[in-house]
């Protein structure tokens, strides 16, 4: 049984990733050394890796499913409104059936928060 897909997200500076995910999105650090951090919030987890070479090649867009997109939106828009994605600043129904909004960091890593209908 597959349980989780855990992305590795590259940053020029590890601190940029920690600022976005920990300070901004409320993740906690489970492990950290000089060039890598394991972060988690609820059931979502990721590896943040400092690598200028790979960060220059890829700025990912990630999606996280939630069962309360409205509550998460209220939290994020109150705490870090400057991180709301300019093209997805509010919860909206998408053509594919989910309701979602997005956050964007200063390096253009994007995180979509998505709720599917029951």
């Amino acid at each position: 049984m597959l349980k989780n897909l855990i992305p590795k997200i590259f940053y020029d500076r590890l601190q940029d990733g920690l600022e976005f995910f920990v300070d901004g999105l409320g993740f906690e650090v489970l492990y950290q050394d000089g060039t890598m951090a394991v972060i988690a919030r609820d059931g979502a987890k990721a590896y943040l890796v400092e690598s200028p070479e790979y960060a220059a090649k890829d700025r990912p867009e990630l999606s996280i499913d939630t069962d309360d997109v409205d509550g998460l939106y209220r939290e994020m828009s109150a705490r870090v409104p400057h991180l709301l994605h300019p093209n997805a600043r509010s919860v909206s129904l998408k053509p594919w059936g989910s309701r979602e909004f997005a956050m964007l960091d200063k390096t253009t890593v994007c995180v979509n928060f998505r709720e599917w209908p029951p």
Side-chain angles (χ1 to χ4, degrees):
M1 169 175 58
L2 301 179
K3 293 186 71 169
N4 291 304
L5 176 66
I6 302 172
K8 188 181 288 186
I9 305 162
F10 298 100
Y11 281 91
D12 187 39
R13 293 178 341 110
L14 181 60
Q15 188 59 37
D16 291 340
L18 293 170
E19 286 173 4
F20 182 55
F21 282 94
V22 176
D23 300 341
L25 304 185
F27 281 68
E28 67 176 281
V29 176
L30 301 180
Y31 169 83
Q32 183 177 348
D33 62 27
T35 60
M36 185 188 83
V38 179
I39 57 162
R41 177 172 172 173
D42 303 323
K45 188 180 289 180
Y47 297 138
L48 305 179
V49 178
E50 184 171 301
S51 173
E53 176 188 359
Y54 286 106
K57 295 176 183 180
D58 182 47
R59 304 315 312 136
E61 179 177 316
L62 311 161
S63 295
I64 299 174
D65 287 348
T66 179
D67 61 358
D68 186 11
V69 74
D70 294 307
L72 198 54
Y73 175 76
R74 282 190 300 275
E75 174 192 339
M76 297 298 170
S77 62
R79 192 174 72 223
V80 285
H82 64 283
L83 293 177
L84 289 167
H85 193 296
N87 298 329
R89 296 189 62 79
S90 61
V91 177
S92 63
L93 179 63
K94 299 300 182 184
W96 45 90
S98 66
R99 296 178 62 244
E100 56 188 74
F101 73 98
M103 307 296 284
L104 187 69
D105 81 0
K106 65 184 176 185
T107 73
T108 69
V109 169
C110 176
V111 176
N112 294 297
F113 292 100
R114 178 176 295 141
E115 183 176 359
W116 294 96

mmCIF file of all heavy atoms in Angstrom, residues 4-5 8 12 25 29 44-45 54 61 65 70-71 75 78 88 92 96 102 105-107 110 118:
data_model
loop_
_atom_site.group_PDB
_atom_site.id
_atom_site.type_symbol
_atom_site.label_atom_id
_atom_site.label_comp_id
_atom_site.label_asym_id
_atom_site.label_seq_id
_atom_site.Cartn_x
_atom_site.Cartn_y
_atom_site.Cartn_z
ATOM 1 N N ASN A 4 2.233 7.832 1.222
ATOM 2 C CA ASN A 4 2.516 9.254 1.021
ATOM 3 C C ASN A 4 3.531 9.439 -0.091
ATOM 4 O O ASN A 4 4.435 8.633 -0.245
ATOM 5 C CB ASN A 4 3.104 9.876 2.304
ATOM 6 C CG ASN A 4 2.101 9.962 3.412
ATOM 7 O OD1 ASN A 4 1.048 10.553 3.251
ATOM 8 N ND2 ASN A 4 2.420 9.346 4.534
ATOM 9 N N LEU A 5 3.396 10.519 -0.803
ATOM 10 C CA LEU A 5 4.394 10.988 -1.745
ATOM 11 C C LEU A 5 5.011 12.219 -1.103
ATOM 12 O O LEU A 5 4.310 13.176 -0.790
ATOM 13 C CB LEU A 5 3.737 11.352 -3.079
ATOM 14 C CG LEU A 5 4.643 11.939 -4.141
ATOM 15 C CD1 LEU A 5 5.658 10.889 -4.602
ATOM 16 C CD2 LEU A 5 3.815 12.426 -5.315
ATOM 17 N N LYS A 8 10.747 16.618 -2.540
ATOM 18 C CA LYS A 8 11.998 17.274 -2.170
ATOM 19 C C LYS A 8 11.990 18.614 -2.907
ATOM 20 O O LYS A 8 11.862 18.661 -4.131
ATOM 21 C CB LYS A 8 13.196 16.430 -2.620
ATOM 22 C CG LYS A 8 14.519 16.928 -2.107
ATOM 23 C CD LYS A 8 15.668 16.060 -2.619
ATOM 24 C CE LYS A 8 15.682 14.715 -1.935
ATOM 25 N NZ LYS A 8 16.866 13.915 -2.314
ATOM 26 N N ASP A 12 17.863 27.861 -3.081
ATOM 27 C CA ASP A 12 19.203 28.433 -3.114
ATOM 28 C C ASP A 12 19.727 28.580 -1.689
ATOM 29 O O ASP A 12 20.877 28.298 -1.401
ATOM 30 C CB ASP A 12 19.155 29.789 -3.823
ATOM 31 C CG ASP A 12 20.528 30.387 -4.048
ATOM 32 O OD1 ASP A 12 21.461 29.631 -4.369
ATOM 33 O OD2 ASP A 12 20.661 31.613 -3.892
ATOM 34 N N LEU A 25 3.479 28.971 6.443
ATOM 35 C CA LEU A 25 2.396 28.005 6.315
ATOM 36 C C LEU A 25 2.168 27.162 7.565
ATOM 37 O O LEU A 25 1.268 26.334 7.599
ATOM 38 C CB LEU A 25 2.653 27.088 5.109
ATOM 39 C CG LEU A 25 2.856 27.801 3.755
ATOM 40 C CD1 LEU A 25 2.987 26.784 2.638
ATOM 41 C CD2 LEU A 25 1.738 28.784 3.475
ATOM 42 N N VAL A 29 9.412 21.820 11.989
ATOM 43 C CA VAL A 29 10.661 21.163 11.593
ATOM 44 C C VAL A 29 10.796 19.873 12.399
ATOM 45 O O VAL A 29 10.825 19.899 13.628
ATOM 46 C CB VAL A 29 11.876 22.079 11.844
ATOM 47 C CG1 VAL A 29 13.172 21.348 11.525
ATOM 48 C CG2 VAL A 29 11.760 23.352 11.017
ATOM 49 N N ALA A 44 0.836 16.223 5.883
ATOM 50 C CA ALA A 44 1.697 16.660 4.782
ATOM 51 C C ALA A 44 3.139 16.754 5.259
ATOM 52 O O ALA A 44 3.408 17.226 6.362
ATOM 53 C CB ALA A 44 1.239 18.020 4.255
ATOM 54 N N LYS A 45 4.065 16.298 4.418
ATOM 55 C CA LYS A 45 5.476 16.306 4.780
ATOM 56 C C LYS A 45 6.294 16.627 3.526
ATOM 57 O O LYS A 45 5.891 16.302 2.413
ATOM 58 C CB LYS A 45 5.877 14.929 5.308
ATOM 59 C CG LYS A 45 7.266 14.861 5.901
ATOM 60 C CD LYS A 45 7.583 13.449 6.401
ATOM 61 C CE LYS A 45 6.789 13.140 7.639
ATOM 62 N NZ LYS A 45 7.050 11.787 8.164
ATOM 63 N N TYR A 54 20.187 22.957 -8.193
ATOM 64 C CA TYR A 54 18.864 22.418 -8.485
ATOM 65 C C TYR A 54 17.760 23.456 -8.302
ATOM 66 O O TYR A 54 16.753 23.421 -9.019
ATOM 67 C CB TYR A 54 18.593 21.165 -7.659
ATOM 68 C CG TYR A 54 19.369 19.988 -8.176
ATOM 69 C CD1 TYR A 54 20.480 19.523 -7.493
ATOM 70 C CD2 TYR A 54 19.016 19.356 -9.362
ATOM 71 C CE1 TYR A 54 21.221 18.459 -7.974
ATOM 72 C CE2 TYR A 54 19.740 18.290 -9.850
ATOM 73 C CZ TYR A 54 20.844 17.845 -9.161
ATOM 74 O OH TYR A 54 21.578 16.794 -9.646
ATOM 75 N N GLU A 61 5.371 23.498 -8.254
ATOM 76 C CA GLU A 61 4.017 23.793 -7.818
ATOM 77 C C GLU A 61 3.503 22.525 -7.153
ATOM 78 O O GLU A 61 3.470 21.465 -7.761
ATOM 79 C CB GLU A 61 3.135 24.156 -8.996
ATOM 80 C CG GLU A 61 1.714 24.449 -8.588
ATOM 81 C CD GLU A 61 0.850 24.880 -9.750
ATOM 82 O OE1 GLU A 61 1.300 25.707 -10.560
ATOM 83 O OE2 GLU A 61 -0.285 24.374 -9.836
ATOM 84 N N ASP A 65 -4.169 18.323 -0.440
ATOM 85 C CA ASP A 65 -5.592 18.140 -0.202
ATOM 86 C C ASP A 65 -5.905 18.422 1.255
ATOM 87 O O ASP A 65 -5.115 18.088 2.143
ATOM 88 C CB ASP A 65 -6.020 16.705 -0.539
ATOM 89 C CG ASP A 65 -6.061 16.433 -2.035
ATOM 90 O OD1 ASP A 65 -5.990 17.385 -2.829
ATOM 91 O OD2 ASP A 65 -6.175 15.250 -2.398
ATOM 92 N N ASP A 70 -11.781 26.253 3.541
ATOM 93 C CA ASP A 70 -12.205 27.572 4.011
ATOM 94 C C ASP A 70 -11.504 27.951 5.313
ATOM 95 O O ASP A 70 -11.058 29.083 5.472
ATOM 96 C CB ASP A 70 -13.725 27.614 4.183
ATOM 97 C CG ASP A 70 -14.448 27.468 2.854
ATOM 98 O OD1 ASP A 70 -14.143 28.232 1.921
ATOM 99 O OD2 ASP A 70 -15.301 26.569 2.748
ATOM 100 N N GLY A 71 -11.392 27.003 6.234
ATOM 101 C CA GLY A 71 -10.695 27.260 7.489
ATOM 102 C C GLY A 71 -9.226 27.547 7.269
ATOM 103 O O GLY A 71 -8.647 28.452 7.881
ATOM 104 N N GLU A 75 -7.120 31.059 8.010
ATOM 105 C CA GLU A 75 -5.854 31.082 8.761
ATOM 106 C C GLU A 75 -4.755 31.775 7.977
ATOM 107 O O GLU A 75 -4.076 32.672 8.474
ATOM 108 C CB GLU A 75 -5.427 29.655 9.109
ATOM 109 C CG GLU A 75 -4.062 29.587 9.761
ATOM 110 C CD GLU A 75 -3.496 28.178 9.837
ATOM 111 O OE1 GLU A 75 -4.258 27.196 9.757
ATOM 112 O OE2 GLU A 75 -2.260 28.077 9.976
ATOM 113 N N ALA A 78 -5.276 35.581 7.187
ATOM 114 C CA ALA A 78 -5.108 36.423 8.374
ATOM 115 C C ALA A 78 -3.649 36.509 8.801
ATOM 116 O O ALA A 78 -3.170 37.572 9.195
ATOM 117 C CB ALA A 78 -5.959 35.882 9.525
ATOM 118 N N ALA A 88 -4.515 33.438 -7.353
ATOM 119 C CA ALA A 88 -5.409 32.518 -6.634
ATOM 120 C C ALA A 88 -5.546 32.991 -5.188
ATOM 121 O O ALA A 88 -5.359 32.237 -4.251
ATOM 122 C CB ALA A 88 -4.868 31.092 -6.706
ATOM 123 N N SER A 92 -11.741 29.354 -4.740
ATOM 124 C CA SER A 92 -12.640 29.341 -5.895
ATOM 125 C C SER A 92 -12.828 27.912 -6.390
ATOM 126 O O SER A 92 -11.968 27.051 -6.202
ATOM 127 C CB SER A 92 -12.105 30.235 -7.019
ATOM 128 O OG SER A 92 -10.867 29.753 -7.492
ATOM 129 N N TRP A 96 -12.218 21.461 -12.704
ATOM 130 C CA TRP A 96 -12.034 20.034 -12.428
ATOM 131 C C TRP A 96 -12.756 19.587 -11.162
ATOM 132 O O TRP A 96 -12.685 18.433 -10.772
ATOM 133 C CB TRP A 96 -10.558 19.657 -12.375
ATOM 134 C CG TRP A 96 -9.706 20.607 -11.588
ATOM 135 C CD1 TRP A 96 -9.422 20.537 -10.256
ATOM 136 C CD2 TRP A 96 -9.035 21.755 -12.075
ATOM 137 N NE1 TRP A 96 -8.617 21.587 -9.879
ATOM 138 C CE2 TRP A 96 -8.362 22.362 -10.993
ATOM 139 C CE3 TRP A 96 -8.927 22.358 -13.337
ATOM 140 C CZ2 TRP A 96 -7.597 23.512 -11.121
ATOM 141 C CZ3 TRP A 96 -8.176 23.505 -13.455
ATOM 142 C CH2 TRP A 96 -7.517 24.068 -12.357
ATOM 143 N N ALA A 102 -4.133 29.380 -3.423
ATOM 144 C CA ALA A 102 -2.705 29.077 -3.497
ATOM 145 C C ALA A 102 -1.868 30.106 -2.751
ATOM 146 O O ALA A 102 -2.281 31.252 -2.572
ATOM 147 C CB ALA A 102 -2.252 29.011 -4.954
ATOM 148 N N ASP A 105 5.823 31.684 -2.592
ATOM 149 C CA ASP A 105 6.941 32.271 -1.854
ATOM 150 C C ASP A 105 7.772 33.177 -2.761
ATOM 151 O O ASP A 105 7.513 33.288 -3.959
ATOM 152 C CB ASP A 105 7.770 31.192 -1.141
ATOM 153 C CG ASP A 105 8.770 30.462 -2.023
ATOM 154 O OD1 ASP A 105 8.888 30.751 -3.224
ATOM 155 O OD2 ASP A 105 9.456 29.569 -1.496
ATOM 156 N N LYS A 106 8.760 33.824 -2.172
ATOM 157 C CA LYS A 106 9.551 34.805 -2.932
ATOM 158 C C LYS A 106 10.426 34.165 -4.003
ATOM 159 O O LYS A 106 10.919 34.861 -4.885
ATOM 160 C CB LYS A 106 10.389 35.654 -1.982
ATOM 161 C CG LYS A 106 11.455 34.897 -1.210
ATOM 162 C CD LYS A 106 12.144 35.826 -0.232
ATOM 163 C CE LYS A 106 13.136 35.104 0.635
ATOM 164 N NZ LYS A 106 13.712 35.974 1.663
ATOM 165 N N THR A 107 10.593 32.841 -3.971
ATOM 166 C CA THR A 107 11.372 32.152 -5.008
ATOM 167 C C THR A 107 10.466 31.518 -6.056
ATOM 168 O O THR A 107 10.931 30.825 -6.927
ATOM 169 C CB THR A 107 12.269 31.053 -4.404
ATOM 170 O OG1 THR A 107 11.473 29.944 -3.994
ATOM 171 C CG2 THR A 107 13.097 31.590 -3.248
ATOM 172 N N CYS A 110 5.101 27.370 -5.381
ATOM 173 C CA CYS A 110 3.665 27.549 -5.222
ATOM 174 C C CYS A 110 3.073 26.338 -4.500
ATOM 175 O O CYS A 110 3.410 25.194 -4.815
ATOM 176 C CB CYS A 110 3.013 27.693 -6.592
ATOM 177 S SG CYS A 110 1.220 27.799 -6.561
ATOM 178 N N PRO A 118 -17.486 15.941 -1.403
ATOM 179 C CA PRO A 118 -17.692 14.580 -0.854
ATOM 180 C C PRO A 118 -18.255 13.617 -1.878
ATOM 181 O O PRO A 118 -18.827 13.987 -2.838
ATOM 182 C CB PRO A 118 -18.662 14.798 0.300
ATOM 183 C CG PRO A 118 -19.216 16.167 0.144
ATOM 184 C CD PRO A 118 -18.342 16.918 -0.794
#
